[in-house]
Amino acid sequence: MSVAGAILAPVDSVRSAILKVASPWVSPLFADRRRRVWWLGVVSVVSAFVVTGLVPLWSLALGPVLLGVPHLVSDVRYLVVRPKLHHKPWLLVLVGAPLLATSLGAGPEVGVLAIVPAVFGAGFSWRLVVVAFVWLALTAAAYLEPFGFQLAFVHAHNLLAVLLWWSLTARAKSMAWVPLLTVGGAVAILAGALDPLVTWSGGWSAPWTGTSFTEFVENITPALDPTLAGRLVLSFCFLQSVHYAVWLRLVPDDARPRPAPRTFAASWDALVADFGLAPLLVFVALSLGLAVWGAVTLPGARLGYLQLAAFHGYLELAIAARWFAFGRAST
Amino acid sequence: MRTLTLAVLLVAGVALADIPPSNSTQCHSAQTGAACTTDDGKPGTCLKQLVSRLDYSEGVPPKTKQVEMLLCVASVTARSTATSSPPFFAAGALMLVMLGLIVTKLVSRGRRSAAA
């Protein structure tokens, strides 16, 4: 048994014992993949809404530090590794170069450039024409109004993950609850639905996080009415939580070859099969390092992570364009 | 996020109501008296100044309060050697290099499995 297997075996034993006791109640919830993904999606969105109302600044500060790296790993795993795009070195280099440049500080017009090589190989069709127009429009917007573009993209890329998840497989109508609740939640937050809960919980201020609403308003909202700007920060917090839930829970559940849930040890083995052990250990070290860094200085760790993660929104955009141009997901 | 916005602001060069106070970004994690560069590129020194900021600590609509914060004040004697967030940039760059190595490893794995 591997070291990871030995570490995860007790956790799996506890999980197995709990499932055995709770089997009569939870079996119907977990056995069927569609049903499981549906309720996990709904619970994730509702939880994100409640957490945003109770502890928004903690969610904004801790979310990227604790879940950031695992969600980036999932991003790369399901958008690049599983579709075996890394078997095409030319694609890896041409898409990877602009993505890497954005993480090193290049402008948004460089990030959207990743769309172009991502659709190489798609036959000429109306889909390719749409992608070309979208790319031109995004590039023009990024050149003419880079600040506004970045702000819009910071918020919109959270929804892009929901769109990618939706495109991953054929969906039953009932699954529409997940995107509907997501959009509905964001609209409700912008309309002020969470203001009383945040005030009740004292969530407008959390000095221990080393950050404040003022800081987020100054950094991730455009020139707006100050009340609407504060709500836009809440909306970002909510959508960021949904974004993490999509990559860490919903997409893995949908993309798993076996419909039933698997043990933690089996999940680790699957990760090793996808990435190899050495890269996986680097990911674990990155996650732990970021958590330790966060314990020392939470704002510093958050900024360090954001520097690293700047590429991933454009990766999602490029792969969304690829899926659309080819007319199917996981191409 | 501040790093992202900083980069954007450098490119954009526009002034919107909700961006951080002028000349504040370089001095955010600096000490009083540290060398800096003003938003318009002049060498300066980080000095405590009173500025007006929105305060959301009691909810919306926010109140306005005067707070003391470090701003980059232009000075003919100060050296313009300060940078805004070198530790964050260095850490990010280091993580990217590690990711690059991982991608290289993945490509070689991909080739091996393709060959097999």
Side-chain angles (χ1 to χ4, degrees):
Chain A
M1 185 185 285
S2 66
V3 176
I7 294 170
L8 293 171
V11 187
D12 274 325
S13 299
V14 172
R15 179 177 181 264
S16 173
I18 293 171
L19 286 177
K20 201 170 279 181
V21 172
S23 178
W25 304 283
V26 300
S27 280
L29 289 175
F30 281 93
D32 179 68
R33 189 205 305 255
R34 277 193 177 182
R35 185 180 298 160
R36 186 173 68 246
V37 172
W38 180 85
W39 75 260
L40 280 171
V42 170
V43 168
S44 297
V45 175
V46 173
S47 303
F49 193 80
V50 173
V51 167
T52 300
L54 293 176
V55 282
L57 284 172
W58 281 105
S59 176
L60 286 165
L62 283 178
V65 173
L66 296 180
L67 303 176
V69 172
H71 117 275
L72 292 182
V73 172
S74 183
D75 219 56
V76 173
R77 185 185 196 191
Y78 293 105
L79 297 181
V80 179
V81 176
R82 281 291 176 88
K84 300 192 187 307
L85 296 185
H86 60 298
H87 287 200
K88 301 173 181 172
W90 61 269
L91 189 67
L92 207 61
V93 169
L94 292 178
V95 175
L99 300 182
L100 183 66
T102 56
S103 277
L104 294 172
E109 71 281 1
V110 176
V112 298
L113 196 59
I115 291 175
V116 177
V119 298
F120 280 176
F124 184 78
S125 68
W126 66 270
R127 288 173 175 273
L128 200 59
V129 174
V130 169
V131 169
F133 272 111
V134 168
W135 171 67
L136 281 172
L138 290 176
T139 302
Y143 265 118
L144 297 173
E145 193 55 71
F147 182 64
F149 181 90
Q150 286 274 31
L151 289 182
F153 193 64
V154 159
H155 291 268
H157 99 280
N158 285 328
L159 282 171
L160 191 57
V162 179
L163 188 68
L164 286 167
W165 165 74
W166 182 266
S167 313
L168 206 56
T169 182
R171 298 287 176 197
K173 278 183 183 170
S174 62
M175 210 64 94
W177 277 106
V178 177
L180 283 176
L181 281 173
T182 303
V183 174
V187 171
I189 289 171
L190 291 176
L194 276 184
D195 293 356
L197 184 58
V198 183
T199 302
W200 175 81
S201 68
W204 295 109
S205 172
W208 280 36
T209 60
T211 187
S212 65
F213 264 85
T214 303
E215 196 174 307
F216 277 101
V217 164
E218 286 172 347
N219 289 320
I220 65 166
T221 70
L224 288 172
D225 164 74
T227 297
L228 188 56
R231 290 173 185 165
L232 193 57
V233 172
L234 287 175
S235 160
F236 175 77
C237 174
F238 165 68
L239 292 177
Q240 179 178 264
S241 299
V242 173
H243 183 87
Y244 288 150
V246 164
W247 285 116
L248 296 174
R249 192 67 257 182
L250 303 188
V251 169
D253 247 318
D254 260 333
R256 188 177 303 149
R258 205 181 77 159
R262 59 185 167 204
T263 61
F264 292 117
S267 293
W268 174 262
D269 289 343
L271 273 167
V272 173
D274 281 342
F275 287 104
L277 185 60
L280 211 51
L281 291 177
V282 173
F283 296 148
V284 172
L286 269 178
S287 296
L288 294 177
L290 206 59
V292 171
W293 190 4
V296 178
T297 162
L298 201 48
R302 191 167 56 84
L303 288 175
Y305 163 74
L306 291 171
Q307 177 83 50
L308 165 74
F311 77 93
H312 88 287
Y314 296 106
L315 172 65
E316 291 175 11
L317 186 64
I319 298 299
R322 182 176 176 83
W323 289 5
F324 182 80
F326 279 83
R328 61 188 184 278
S330 297
T331 301
Chain B
M1 197 58 66
R2 186 180 298 107
T3 310
L4 174 73
T5 311
L6 264 173
V8 171
L9 289 175
L10 285 172
V11 177
V14 292
L16 295 172
D18 289 332
I19 61 173
S22 301
N23 298 316
S24 67
T25 46
Q26 280 216 1
C27 295
H28 186 269
S29 49
Q31 303 277 333
T32 306
C36 59
T37 307
T38 61
D39 289 351
D40 55 359
K42 292 175 186 160
T45 309
C46 294
L47 296 174
K48 282 185 180 171
Q49 305 279 302
L50 270 181
V51 294
S52 181
R53 292 184 97 186
L54 294 173
D55 175 21
Y56 285 84
S57 61
E58 291 171 37
V60 288
K63 296 181 170 58
T64 305
K65 69 174 183 184
Q66 295 283 315
V67 293
E68 207 173 50
M69 65 186 296
L70 287 176
L71 297 184
C72 190
V73 178
S75 150
V76 285
T77 53
R79 290 176 296 121
S80 59
T81 53
T83 53
S84 58
S85 55
F88 307 137
F89 184 83
L94 185 66
M95 288 194 264
L96 280 169
V97 168
M98 284 196 279
L99 279 181
L101 291 173
I102 289 164
V103 167
T104 310
K105 175 88 176 163
L106 277 172
V107 171
S108 65
R109 274 169 56 84
R111 280 185 180 149
R112 275 204 303 274
S113 62

